[in-house]
Amino acid sequence: MLIEGLIDNEELGLGHEEFLQVKYWMTPSPYCIRHGQTLQEAGEMMNHLNVDSLPIIDEQDRLVGMITLRKLLSYFINGNDRQLPISRIPKRNFAYMRAEDLIFSAASLPCMELPVVDEEEKVIGILTSRDIVDGYTKLILKLKQTENSAEVLRIILERAYEGIAVVDKYGVLMEFNEAYSRFTGVRREDAIGRHVTEVIDNTNLHQTVQTATPERGVIQRIQGQDMVVHRIPIWNKDEVVGAIGMLIFEGVSEVYKIYESLQATYVQEEKKHQPLSVELKEDSRMTLDRIIGNSPEISEVKRLARRSARTLATVLITGESGTGKEMFAKSIHHLSPFSNGPFMSVNCGAIPEALFESELFGYEEGAFTGARKGGKPGKFELAHNGTIFLDEIGEMPLMMQTKLLRVLQEKEAERVGGCEKYRMNARIIAATNRNLKESIKEGTFREDLYYRLNIIELQIPALRERRQDIPDLLSFYLEKVSTKYHLPKKSFTSDAISFLCQHDWHGNIRELVNSVERLVTLVDSRTIEVHHLKQFIGEETQNQQVTFHSHSLIDEAKDIGRKREKEIIIDALKEAAGNKKKAAEILGIHRTTLYQKLKRHHINF
């Protein structure tokens, strides 16, 4: 059956052994204490950070031990000097983990928290008992989900919805469950093999195959009743091979009529105030679930964002312009302990240099000509007990970088023209589309500020690196733009969607939204086809059309691309002398992405 082929074993994710590697479950970039600091400082850090242990590192940031709250209390009870340096404490054997170790091996160790080190013995994370339990729980869930998949699919077909129908790319029914059969009065064996229009009233499921556009929660009249249905295209690589229709519930006629009446009234009222467009009022609380995409690349970034939100560490978000860095910043804020506080966003590239200090730290009355009476609080002051997002941090002037570094170190700031400092308690998230390491070499960005900001780094992949998400993004923004401008809902042909999936999207999500808005407003037809793209998207997409219909040429190009990618990865590993972390930096990708590519290309280095 077609539906039994919908789940590819390779798409189930990592193998069980790799799934349990420490790197996927540890809390990254933990707080550490240097062995030259005192027992008193260790106690104060644990109390302030609310942790039970701290890794001890030397001048080269290498792990040399662990100090626990229990051990610290023992030293204090025994009358030891609180100013005693930690380096004076007798060293004992201590346990630690490596990123590629399995969490199974941590279960037999006596410690509740284990530091994780890299090849240079530097601390990159900490594995807690909570992390281990989390890993075991997810593994059990993973096993349950993949066990007896055919039986699970059968149950979904019969019980998950009131009716499920599956068609192939020609609109012929390949699956028709008993619930749908009971409702339509057509036996399952009589329905399968027939065109869907012969079996289901007013269906558009065969059109879903042509448009490749998912439709959720639409109304369809079947057997004289208004029904709520989902229609979802089935993709196999770059081609739509079928569609699934799901019947949700029946008997909504009265509710739908009331909804239509309210919607018509609402639209008329809005048009009086906004004749050309309507400004959509969205919930300001951004969550990771609202970031569209389920590709492995974006899923990994979401996972790291969730884990980084648990800590109070500074986060540096990197990625090309238009990839959605601010959306991730807001998501981290709302998952963090500061979620009840304000989220203040500062575009460091849009503030004149002369106004930078007063904008960030505020000013007192009379600080300069034209200063507001009573003064004005700065962004850091307004972000108290919340999060401050420093966007385009690479554009910040050098003089301000020095002042920002001091504020981050001292956790206090002073208004321009003021004489009293105020305490700063805010989560810091910075973002840039620049290569800050290159900026450091060029002398335009301070190295010490870079390391202060780059405690946890989130690299947002470009849209061309996660093409799997493009159909969902197109569908979402197509509906959103149509609603915004009060235009009839439009759809893409499957050829057009496949065509757009091959576009490089140098402007990323921002370019995609702009293109969808242009197509929706300028294309007269209700269906957007490939020839419309040549007119409204540009030269690059036009050039791709030459080989669009030649599957052999596409396959050949993909084979060449895979071979070339493998060669580039091997060259980077050789240059890094086998160090995968350095190789990932050379390639400009996340280390986890590198591991996935090594596995895909069967590279053992």
Side-chain angles (χ1 to χ4, degrees):
M1 291 188 299
L2 175 63
I3 197 159
E4 289 179 346
L6 296 181
I7 296 181
D8 185 342
N9 288 333
E10 291 183 0
E11 295 300 319
L12 291 175
L14 304 172
H16 295 159
E17 184 169 322
E18 188 178 356
F19 181 79
L20 289 175
Q21 286 183 343
V22 169
K23 62 185 175 184
Y24 295 116
W25 303 104
M26 69 181 187
T27 299
S29 305
Y31 290 100
C32 300
I33 190 166
R34 297 195 178 274
H35 67 166
Q37 293 181 262
T38 65
L39 296 178
Q40 176 76 26
E41 289 175 308
E44 290 174 353
M45 278 187 69
M46 288 186 195
N47 180 58
H48 176 67
L49 300 172
N50 194 25
V51 296
D52 295 328
S53 64
L54 287 171
I56 306 170
I57 57 177
D58 61 14
E59 289 82 358
Q60 286 75 42
D61 296 333
R62 293 179 303 212
L63 180 69
V64 295
M66 284 286 288
I67 181 75
T68 64
L69 187 59
R70 184 174 180 179
K71 185 185 294 185
L72 198 61
L73 287 173
S74 174
Y75 279 113
F76 289 161
I77 291 170
N78 291 328
N80 286 287
D81 184 4
R82 297 190 176 204
Q83 300 306 316
L84 183 71
I86 295 177
S87 58
R88 298 278 298 278
I89 299 174
K91 298 289 189 302
R92 295 181 181 178
N93 292 332
F94 59 91
Y96 62 87
M97 306 287 292
R98 295 194 182 276
E100 288 74 27
D101 293 341
L102 302 181
I103 61 174
F104 281 129
S105 57
S108 60
L109 298 173
C111 307
M112 296 295 290
E113 296 182 342
L114 292 163
V116 184
V117 300
D118 60 12
E119 298 85 350
E120 299 174 354
E121 306 298 324
K122 294 182 179 180
V123 179
I124 58 173
I126 194 160
L127 186 72
T128 67
S129 55
R130 174 184 171 184
D131 295 330
I132 296 172
V133 171
D134 194 21
Y136 288 155
T137 304
K138 295 295 191 303
L139 176 62
I140 292 170
L141 181 61
K142 180 184 175 75
L143 291 171
K144 285 182 177 178
Q145 288 174 335
T146 58
E147 186 180 46
N148 300 321
S149 58
E151 178 66 15
V152 171
L153 286 172
R154 187 190 66 77
I155 293 171
I156 289 174
L157 276 173
E158 296 306 325
R159 301 182 185 178
Y161 296 91
E162 289 196 32
I164 294 182
V166 181
V167 299
D168 63 11
K169 62 182 179 180
Y170 304 108
V172 175
L173 280 165
M174 302 295 290
E175 187 56 71
F176 192 74
N177 75 341
E178 290 299 327
Y180 229 138
S181 174
R182 287 193 302 271
F183 181 71
T184 59
V186 180
R187 293 189 307 169
R188 178 176 179 274
E189 53 267 32
D190 293 337
I192 291 177
R194 294 169 62 186
H195 196 274
V196 65
T197 55
E198 300 176 21
V199 180
I200 303 174
D201 295 344
N202 304 310
T203 182
N204 280 327
L205 197 55
H206 58 301
Q207 296 296 335
T208 302
V209 180
Q210 300 300 319
T211 63
T213 303
E215 297 178 288
R216 293 179 171 85
V218 297
I219 303 298
Q220 178 180 331
R221 194 165 187 82
I222 308 174
Q223 302 288 96
Q225 297 187 55
D226 285 339
M227 313 292 291
V228 178
V229 300
H230 292 337
R231 304 185 190 109
I232 302 170
I234 304 169
W235 288 83
N236 182 12
K237 297 182 180 177
D238 296 330
E239 182 184 4
V240 177
V241 295
I244 302 176
M246 303 180 194
L247 191 66
I248 307 305
F249 54 84
E250 57 181 290
V252 297
S253 300
E254 294 303 317
V255 176
Y256 184 52
K257 288 175 183 176
I258 294 170
Y259 170 79
E260 275 188 323
S261 176
L262 291 173
Q263 186 71 359
T265 304
Y266 169 78
V267 169
Q268 291 302 319
E269 286 297 317
E270 286 295 301
K271 284 183 176 178
K272 291 178 183 177
H273 302 290
Q274 294 176 310
L276 295 179
S277 68
V278 57
E279 192 69 30
L280 297 178
K281 295 181 179 179
E282 297 182 345
D283 183 3
S284 61
R285 291 181 66 86
M286 174 59 64
T287 63
L288 287 173
D289 293 334
R290 293 180 60 187
I291 296 176
I292 299 169
N294 296 299
S295 63
E297 294 80 6
I298 202 67
S299 296
E300 171 64 14
V301 179
K302 288 182 182 180
R303 187 188 71 82
L304 290 174
R306 285 190 183 94
R307 296 181 72 81
S308 64
R310 292 186 199 171
T311 72
L312 303 181
T314 303
V315 177
L316 177 63
I317 304 177
T318 59
E320 295 180 9
S321 180
T323 50
K325 295 186 286 295
E326 185 165 359
M327 293 176 71
F328 273 94
K330 289 180 178 178
S331 300
I332 293 170
H333 165 69
H334 290 301
L335 288 172
S336 74
F338 293 107
S339 59
N340 292 326
F343 178 88
M344 301 302 299
S345 180
V346 181
N347 188 332
C348 299
I351 304 174
E353 186 171 352
L355 301 178
F356 226 114
E357 187 171 6
S358 60
E359 190 69 21
L360 286 185
F361 309 129
Y363 59 81
E364 295 288 358
E365 181 178 347
F368 49 82
T369 304
R372 179 189 297 177
K373 185 177 181 181
K376 178 185 175 183
K379 298 294 186 183
F380 275 95
E381 203 170 346
L382 293 171
H384 186 66
N385 291 332
T387 299
I388 184 164
F389 176 52
L390 301 174
D391 197 9
E392 305 298 345
I393 190 71
E395 309 294 332
M396 181 176 282
L398 272 171
M399 185 178 69
M400 280 306 302
Q401 291 178 30
T402 304
K403 294 183 178 180
L404 176 62
L405 177 63
R406 189 177 68 248
V407 168
L408 295 180
Q409 290 173 335
E410 298 176 359
K411 298 292 183 183
E412 57 184 20
E414 182 179 311
R415 288 187 180 187
V416 175
C419 54
E420 292 185 4
K421 293 186 177 182
Y422 57 85
R423 292 291 298 170
M424 187 194 74
N425 182 37
R427 173 74 174 269
I428 309 295
I429 302 177
T432 183
N433 57 11
R434 285 191 173 192
N435 185 330
L436 292 185
K437 290 186 177 179
E438 289 297 324
S439 298
I440 291 170
K441 292 177 183 177
E442 295 166 2
T444 58
F445 200 84
R446 289 183 62 108
E447 185 174 14
D448 46 5
L449 177 59
Y450 170 75
Y451 288 114
R452 173 64 66 172
L453 292 171
N454 190 24
I455 304 299
I456 299 175
E457 182 176 358
L458 288 184
Q459 293 182 335
I460 313 299
L463 188 54
R464 59 186 171 276
E465 295 172 4
R466 55 182 188 106
R467 298 181 189 274
Q468 178 182 329
D469 296 328
I470 292 176
D472 286 336
L473 287 162
L474 289 169
S475 175
F476 175 80
Y477 286 110
L478 193 66
E479 183 173 352
K480 183 176 179 180
V481 172
S482 298
T483 303
K484 177 180 178 181
Y485 291 110
H486 296 296
L487 294 172
K489 186 176 178 181
K490 299 185 180 181
S491 61
F492 288 103
T493 64
S494 59
D495 283 354
I497 288 186
S498 296
F499 199 50
L500 292 171
C501 287
Q502 302 305 315
H503 187 60
D504 276 346
W505 300 112
H506 294 294
N508 295 294
I509 310 293
R510 189 177 291 120
E511 182 190 353
L512 182 143
V513 175
N514 180 273
S515 298
V516 169
E517 192 160 0
R518 187 185 307 122
L519 289 164
V520 168
T521 53
L522 296 181
V523 173
D524 293 328
S525 170
R526 293 286 292 271
T527 302
I528 301 170
E529 302 184 28
V530 174
H531 67 85
H532 295 125
L533 306 181
K534 294 192 297 182
Q535 183 178 357
F536 296 116
I537 295 227
E539 294 285 332
E540 182 180 351
T541 309
Q542 291 183 45
N543 294 337
Q544 293 173 3
Q545 192 179 10
V546 176
T547 59
F548 178 70
H549 290 291
S550 177
H551 290 287
S552 60
L553 287 178
I554 290 174
D555 292 339
E556 184 180 346
K558 286 181 178 178
D559 289 339
I560 294 172
R562 281 191 284 266
K563 290 176 183 176
R564 180 59 183 147
E565 183 179 59
K566 184 174 181 179
E567 291 171 0
I568 292 170
I569 292 172
I570 292 173
D571 289 342
L573 286 166
K574 288 178 179 178
E575 185 178 342
N579 187 313
K580 295 181 177 61
K581 181 180 179 182
K582 291 181 180 177
E585 291 177 356
I586 293 169
L587 293 167
I589 60 176
H590 194 275
R591 187 168 41 176
T592 304
T593 304
L594 175 60
Y595 282 119
Q596 292 171 347
K597 291 182 182 294
L598 292 176
K599 184 176 180 181
R600 185 186 308 150
H601 292 297
H602 306 290
I603 299 174
N604 296 315
F605 203 95

